[in-house]
Amino acid sequence: MIRIISRQYHSTRGVFGFKPKPQPEFKLDKHIAEARARNSNVYRWVEAYRNYAHRKAAINPVLFSQPIETPTVLDYARYGLSGNETVQPTGIIQTNNSSAVTTEQLQELLEQIYCGTTSIELAYIENEHEREWLIEEYEKLFHTELKTDDRKEIAELLLKSQAFDNFLAVKFPTVKRYGGEGAESIMAFYRQLFLCAADADIRNIVVGMPHRGKLNVLTTMFQTRPAKIFRKFKGLPEFPADAKAMCDIASHFHTSQDLVVRNKTIHLNMLHNPSHLEAVNPVCMGKTRAKQLSQLDGPYSGSDEPENSKILNVQLHGDAAFAGQGINQECLMMASVPHFDVGGSIHMIVNNQVGFTTPGDRGRGTPYSSDLAKSIMAPVIHVNGDDPEALSKATQLAFNYQQTFGKDIFIDLNCFRRWGHNELDDPTFTNPLLYKIIHNRKSVPDLYAAKLLETGELAQTDIDGIVKSHLNFLNSELQNLNEYQPERSYFEQQWSEMKQPGTEITTWDTGVDYGLLHLIAQTSVQHPADFALHPHLKKHHVEARLKKAAEGTRLDWATAETMAIGSLMYQGFNVRISGEDVGRGTFSQRHAMFVDQNTNEIYIPLNALEGGSGGKLEIANSILSEEAVLGFEYGMAIDNPNNLVIWEAQFGDFFNGAQIMIDTLLVSGETKWMVCNGLVLLLPHGFDGAASEHSSCRMERFLQLTDSRESTPDGEDVNFQIIYPSTPAQYFHALRRQMIRNFRKPLVVIAPKTLLRLSECVSTHSEIAPGTHFQSVIGDHVVTDPKKVKRVILCTGKHYYNLNSERLATKNNEVAIVRVESLCPFPVQSIRDELEKYANARDFIWSQEEHRNMGAWSFVHPRFENMCGKKIAYRGRYEGATVAVGVSTWHAKEAEEVIKSAFV
């Protein structure tokens, strides 16, 4: 029997980007149930080990405090059992044979399985099927042994990792390398992961990994040439000379590489990571999802049958960062949400037991650094980092679980940091007892090599040979460094038709035949005959849009957006809109998805658009998160330039919850890493009495983040674009331009609130016809005699309509109002062209509704005067510490004064 897990407010039939997951009805085998009933006390005791034994497991390789006292719940006497009592393990625990054993013999087995160098947490797993599966598979692993060849390969990887760190310590003693010393067992994790992936025909693995041990992994396992690392340590750039890049540190490097494992090719992406901890995690989730979209895999596959995704997401975490950074909770909350689900991620916490210099128990309020995983009932396997074989088995289990259930699972690798936060740091200042043990113990590779030496699986000559060979290889890479030329690892494959733009400003014809746009508008409000549409929508949205589209002369904002998106879909581009309730829109303006009032089923009309090249619209109503969601969308945008990815803030000022993503990824990813993206941010903005929150999208912050120049004209090579459009047609062209151009830049749209329904804020079909384009400046169409104009007011966006109303009301024909629609790139030449029309103008005013220390004034002022050669005066609100006043009468008075001041 198949049971569908229903979700409120979503389709049980599925929509583009979401397929309901059928889940088999689980029923425990009756023979097992009967065995447990017959031996209920034994079963209760065994379950106690499964639930609580992790508290006494030997998972800490550097334990300096007293071990935790054995939980009394593990005492068999508590269950009415005696030591010599004979018990039958069949149906209760996995064993090599079904013979009866004594209680003490069973206890010995339980100690080996659940209290050794590996343990598992199961008490909080509510799903019976998952719990029974985990128990069975976990216990089976302890009856398997790695083959000699596997052990030797693991030993070789560990020794190479150690040799790499030792080499860097000698050759680059003053460089922070964030080495893998103490956590070398991660090599065993990756090795087993790749083997599992090959066996399961995984096509792509997307990895997010922080600094610790990253260079070891890149050079030892991911085929990155050590020369690239050495070149960086020598103070040289990692990109060819013609790349417009400022570059980054080595521990932020990435790789995009085909790996051949067991004669199968797996494409590996390890993403660039900023130093802001855990910020890479949602990005790698988004990139994983984008690859599923490109390959019609997982939620995008055409099959109605459940199938495993062939794209695997892997996340590595630091212990203190995973517990301390709120973005991790956001990511976990997204893990099973429609349109953000990537089919489950495999997580590994590299548990150094110290965060920066803070002891582990001071860096969190929970027993384990992994405890956040319990919030989504993700299993956690704890492993002692001194036992790479146990880690290999744990990796096998984690992979099998992810493939079986499509859900997240965690490995908590308890290890240590050989040195401090970096190799130049002294950790004994704050952790003397811990580091006394660390400094007096052998390394993980040496311990494991000694183990194989003792068993005869390795000889000392083998160990010496591995180390010598790798050191020779590293020396060769260093000695031949001058012959190494940085690889051109960008604008390849799906990005091959893209480029970095030049210093010029180009115009792109983004107009579309209105016959097609009319069809798109009609399609956008159609729905099945048996679909119960909300009556308000039928009258005020559907009928109104059909009428406006038929007339073609009063197109509002939402209709223009729909036409832009539909036309891009018609050309074969996929479009994704993400954010909090974006299907409807914060201001109930979009309605890109309909919800059946009787069944709760969702229908997305534009995906029924006929003809064209088959692009699809994905409406991704997100969790109430900014940082992780924006990071996810950035990850989608960097993967494929043919996907228009839009993130809409509920209100413009909500972007600041995602400031880390904006600063470290969105605006700087191209200049640091040569990673381009065309992500669009819609930030509703405007002073309408909403007080300090929700009035301003803080455009001044975005303007400050641009690399726009004050004294020379901007080109299209600015790091990102900021526009404040005043008409639906302008918005239409801006969205289409994002995809039509042969380069990608992120776009901030200072988006409207009141303009969504303002009767004057409409466009005609002629403004979006073939041959039309986005205008960086809109001149004054009201002035009839330019010679009479004595004052030119420059403004942006919504503010224009208030200024124009005042001008019309006072019948002032001596004022021209020029709209600066593009703030970055700053349209110097277009402004000059407009000013030339007003030869008699002597006063030039910048008018804005924002406070003087906010808005665009500080950005516009030097650029206008330096490059337009004229003085410009400010008119607007005074300097303020708060975005807007919280008293309605004050607001109304200020708003009136701001408008009137522009004319005096």
Side-chain angles (χ1 to χ4, degrees), residues 150 194 393 522 555 566 608 770 893:
D150 293 322
F194 293 158
K393 294 178 182 180
Q522 290 175 313
L555 302 174
K893 183 180 180 181

Side-chain angles (χ1 to χ4, degrees), residues 754-812:
T754 58
L755 294 192
L756 294 171
R757 293 179 176 85
L758 186 68
S759 59
E760 300 100 306
C761 184
V762 291
S763 297
T764 68
H765 62 83
S766 62
E767 294 175 73
I768 53 178
T772 58
H773 57 87
F774 179 82
Q775 301 176 70
S776 59
V777 171
I778 297 180
D780 196 316
H781 304 303
V782 176
V783 170
T784 56
D785 188 355
K787 294 180 181 178
K788 293 183 178 180
V789 171
K790 297 179 180 179
R791 170 172 294 201
V792 177
I793 302 174
L794 293 93
C795 67
T796 56
K798 160 187 178 286
H799 196 48
Y800 164 77
Y801 294 95
N802 295 328
L803 290 169
N804 191 45
S805 293
E806 176 70 12
R807 177 175 58 171
L808 295 176
T810 58
K811 299 180 181 180
N812 190 330

Side-chain angles (χ1 to χ4, degrees), residues 636-687:
M636 290 208 70
I638 63 174
D639 185 71
N640 196 316
N642 294 320
N643 299 328
L644 175 61
V645 183
I646 302 171
W647 178 73
E648 182 176 59
Q650 192 178 107
F651 287 92
D653 56 336
F654 278 17
F655 82 88
N656 58 18
Q659 194 70 59
I660 287 174
M661 295 298 169
I662 292 166
D663 291 348
T664 63
L665 299 166
L666 187 69
V667 306
S668 59
E670 181 178 347
T671 188
K672 287 192 297 189
W673 308 321
M674 291 297 290
V675 174
C676 300
N677 79 93
L679 181 63
V680 177
L681 274 61
L682 303 181
L683 306 179
H685 171 92
F687 284 53

Side-chain angles (χ1 to χ4, degrees), residues 572-589:
F573 298 106
N574 292 312
V575 180
R576 174 182 166 99
I577 307 177
S578 170
E580 295 147 14
D581 221 358
V582 291
R584 189 200 79 160
T586 295
F587 310 100
S588 198
Q589 84 283 3

Side-chain angles (χ1 to χ4, degrees), residues 618-760:
E618 183 171 14
I619 299 295
N621 287 324
S622 75
I623 66 171
L624 198 63
S625 151
E626 281 76 44
E627 185 179 4
V629 170
L630 183 58
F632 190 100
E633 305 310 324
Y634 172 80
M636 290 208 70
I638 63 174
D639 185 71
N640 196 316
N642 294 320
N643 299 328
L644 175 61
V645 183
I646 302 171
W647 178 73
E648 182 176 59
Q650 192 178 107
F651 287 92
D653 56 336
F654 278 17
F655 82 88
N656 58 18
Q659 194 70 59
I660 287 174
M661 295 298 169
I662 292 166
D663 291 348
T664 63
L665 299 166
L666 187 69
V667 306
S668 59
E670 181 178 347
T671 188
K672 287 192 297 189
W673 308 321
M674 291 297 290
V675 174
C676 300
N677 79 93
L679 181 63
V680 177
L681 274 61
L682 303 181
L683 306 179
H685 171 92
F687 284 53
D688 50 18
S692 55
E693 273 76 55
H694 310 337
S695 291
S696 173
C697 75
R698 292 287 195 171
M699 71 178 82
E700 64 276 2
R701 295 185 185 175
F702 289 98
L703 291 169
Q704 187 182 38
L705 289 172
T706 70
D707 56 2
S708 169
R709 297 175 292 272
E710 291 187 358
S711 301
T712 55
D714 292 332
E716 288 169 333
D717 57 345
V718 291
N719 60 331
F720 72 114
Q721 316 148 92
I722 303 171
I723 65 172
Y724 193 175
S726 63
T727 72
Q730 285 283 84
Y731 179 46
F732 170 92
H733 289 300
L735 289 181
R736 285 189 47 76
R737 186 179 66 170
Q738 279 297 98
M739 305 307 291
I740 300 304
R741 296 186 296 197
N742 60 352
F743 62 88
R744 294 290 179 263
K745 292 284 182 179
L747 171 66
V748 172
V749 179
I750 303 169
K753 296 185 292 183
T754 58
L755 294 192
L756 294 171
R757 293 179 176 85
L758 186 68
S759 59
E760 300 100 306

Side-chain angles (χ1 to χ4, degrees), residues 47-60:
E47 281 289 279
Y49 264 89
R50 291 165 177 159
N51 291 335
Y52 302 109
H54 60 85
R55 290 164 55 185
K56 64 169 292 191
I59 56 174
N60 192 343

Side-chain angles (χ1 to χ4, degrees), residues 67-83:
I68 298 173
E69 186 177 344
T70 301
T72 58
V73 73
L74 302 184
D75 184 357
Y76 55 71
R78 188 166 177 171
Y79 304 91
L81 302 173
S82 61

Side-chain angles (χ1 to χ4, degrees), residues 799 847-849 876-877 894-902:
H799 196 48
S847 180
Q848 65 180 41
E849 58 180 358
R877 282 176 169 82
E894 281 186 2
E896 182 181 4
E897 290 175 350
V898 165
I899 297 302
K900 291 186 179 301
S901 68

